[in-house]
């Protein structure tokens, strides 16, 4: 792909999501007379990894490209460009975005994975698509703040829950105490639920995982992906609870990472 021209004016693209997880892009490009492509370029990779979609004339002055759910888009952030007949690829900026179908989506998981694509505006005002590809996937549906802990309810896709299913809390590198804490889960078909007690955790950050088939099966990161919010970290916030642990008093609570994965923060309190 030819490097984008930083002096070219950006083009505006409207985005619409469908119930299958696909996206449609309408690019305002009045006067374009030749072949055109919508180019998605994966960020933060050594290779020049791109996905090119044909832009075809739609309504007056609009070119339309479709990114169906069947087209593979590896997990990551994909910057959007339009390569028109009159020059080099130009960065796209968001226009009208309609993601209501994504928020109401219930994937079947029949392909063994869940693919999620959410377009969003970067801090610079450009259009980027955040893509997730999880196989299998454990979706966090509901978090409940209970006395001294957290209740979690969710659903698995692309795998089955067995009698040996359980959750794991894994201390991130540098977390005090280290190790893994196992938590029993209650299951019903594809739904699961469990409760975490904060007083069992050492200070640090703990990532939540699910073992749907027990020790012998896959290890699945808990995340909340099936809606229209690309970055939940600043949007979905929860008040911490103060509890007494073996390491002294702490403040503990859940949060979503920059990848929308579910984690817990345990912060020691001063004397």
């Amino acid at each position: 792909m030819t490097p984008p021209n930083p002096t070219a004016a950006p083009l505006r693209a409207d985005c619409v999501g469908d119930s299958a997880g696909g996206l449609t892009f309408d690019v305002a490009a009045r006067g374009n007379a030749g072949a055109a492509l919508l180019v998605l370029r994966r960020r933060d990779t050594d290779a020049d990894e791109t996905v090119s979609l044909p832009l075809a004339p739609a309504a007056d002055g609009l070119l339309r490209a479709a990114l169906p759910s069947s087209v593979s888009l590896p997990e990551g952030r994909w910057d959007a460009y339009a390569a028109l007949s009159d020059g080099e690829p130009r960065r796209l900026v968001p226009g009208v975005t309609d993601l209501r179908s994504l928020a109401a989506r219930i994937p079947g998981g029949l392909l063994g994975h869940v693919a999620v694509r959410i377009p969003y505006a970067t801090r610079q005002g450009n259009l980027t698509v955040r893509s997730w590809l999880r196989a299998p996937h454990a979706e966090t549906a509901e978090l409940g703040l209970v006395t001294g802990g957290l209740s979690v309810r969710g659903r698995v896709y692309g795998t089955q829950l067995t009698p040996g299913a359980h959750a794991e809390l894994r201390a991130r590198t540098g977390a005090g105490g280290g190790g893994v804490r196992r938590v029993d889960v209650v299951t019903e078909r594809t739904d699961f639920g469990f409760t975490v007690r904060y007083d069992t955790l050492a200070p640090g950050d703990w990532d939540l995982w699910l073992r749907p088939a027990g020790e012998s099966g896959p290890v699945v990161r808990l995340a909340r992906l099936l809606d229209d919010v690309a970055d939940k970290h600043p949007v979905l916030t929860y008040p911490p609870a103060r509890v007494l642990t073996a390491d002294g008093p702490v403040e503990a609570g859940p949060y979503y990472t920059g990848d929308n994965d579910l984690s817990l923060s345990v912060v020691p309190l001063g004397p």
Side-chain angles (χ1 to χ4, degrees):
M1 173 180 158
T2 304
N5 182 355
T7 63
L11 296 168
R12 189 170 302 278
D14 297 337
C15 298
V16 178
D18 63 42
S19 58
L23 294 174
T24 298
F25 303 85
D26 283 343
V27 178
R30 188 180 300 275
N32 184 74
L37 294 173
L38 185 140
V39 180
L40 298 174
R41 184 177 186 182
R42 193 178 182 187
R43 194 189 300 174
D44 300 327
T45 59
D46 294 332
D48 187 12
E49 189 173 358
T50 62
V51 171
S52 297
L53 306 169
L55 278 165
D60 183 37
L62 292 178
L63 298 175
R64 178 168 295 170
L67 176 64
S69 58
S70 58
V71 172
S72 177
L73 196 67
E75 189 158 325
R77 299 180 188 272
W78 296 77
D79 296 330
Y81 301 84
L84 305 181
S85 60
D86 58 355
E88 298 177 347
R90 295 159 64 182
R91 196 70 166 93
L92 291 171
V93 299
V96 177
T97 301
D98 184 354
L99 303 180
R100 289 173 294 180
S101 294
L102 295 184
R105 178 185 174 210
I106 302 177
L110 297 178
L111 299 178
H113 67 260
V114 169
V116 179
R117 295 88 178 263
I118 303 178
Y120 70 97
T122 67
R123 293 180 181 178
Q124 295 75 32
N126 296 316
L127 177 63
T128 294
V129 176
R130 181 64 171 94
S131 174
W132 288 268
L133 191 62
R134 300 289 172 95
H137 172 53
E139 175 75 4
T140 300
E142 181 181 345
L143 300 182
L145 303 180
V146 298
T147 302
L150 176 75
S151 67
V152 180
R153 296 190 59 82
R155 175 172 293 179
V156 296
Y157 297 90
T159 190
Q160 299 292 322
L161 291 167
T162 72
H166 61 271
E168 289 183 349
L169 282 69
R170 297 186 172 189
R172 203 175 301 167
T173 302
V180 177
R181 303 289 188 272
R182 174 171 170 165
V183 180
D184 293 335
V185 303
V186 176
T187 64
E188 183 179 355
R189 296 185 179 180
T190 59
D191 293 341
F192 63 88
F194 60 91
T195 299
V196 177
R197 288 179 50 191
Y198 294 147
D199 61 6
T200 65
L201 304 178
D205 289 280
W206 295 79
D207 297 329
L208 277 70
W209 298 76
L210 183 72
R211 283 190 172 271
E215 296 291 343
S216 62
V219 184
V220 187
R221 188 73 164 93
L222 267 70
R224 182 166 176 174
L225 308 179
L226 300 176
D227 56 26
D228 57 353
V229 181
D231 184 3
K232 295 175 179 61
H233 181 69
V235 177
L236 300 181
T237 59
Y238 302 89
R242 294 192 174 193
V243 299
L244 183 63
T245 72
D247 297 287
V250 301
E251 277 193 343
Y255 68 93
Y256 286 101
T257 70
D259 291 324
N260 290 352
D261 297 325
L262 181 61
S263 295
L264 294 173
S265 172
V266 182
V267 179
L269 295 174

